[in-house]
Amino acid sequence: MTLDPVVTHLVAAALAMLLLVGAWQKLRDQMAFRTALEAYDIVPANSLSALFAWLLPCAEALAAVALVIDGTRTYGVMLAALLLFYLAGFVSALA
């Protein structure tokens, strides 16, 4: 059984929009995002936080772009899944 291509494109576009909005919010106020990373001890303060505050939104944007291009959709799904699993692992560690 194969999915209707329209459904596949809609799901990919919706996930891409979610990732792009998240990336935009993080890039728009990098200092606040970096402060949040340091406050939640996601990365060591002042050493990797600046790099991570820049790389995470770039990875989200890259995944979003890859999701909407047919030839790179598989890579976009893998990168998006990796980002979402990272977030889920972080949230579960806080609980």
Side-chain angles (χ1 to χ4, degrees), residues 42-83:
I42 297 175
V43 292
N46 296 327
S47 61
L48 295 176
S49 60
L51 178 65
F52 195 78
W54 184 79
L55 285 178
L56 182 64
C58 288
E60 289 177 339
L62 179 64
V65 170
L67 279 168
V68 296
I69 300 171
D70 281 332
T72 60
R73 185 165 294 143
T74 302
Y75 300 113
V77 168
M78 289 189 294
L79 182 56
L82 181 69
L83 291 167

Side-chain angles (χ1 to χ4, degrees), residues 29-45:
D29 192 357
Q30 280 226 312
M31 201 60 208
F33 181 52
R34 181 179 175 182
T35 303
L37 289 174
E38 292 171 356
Y40 285 109
D41 291 328
I42 297 175
V43 292

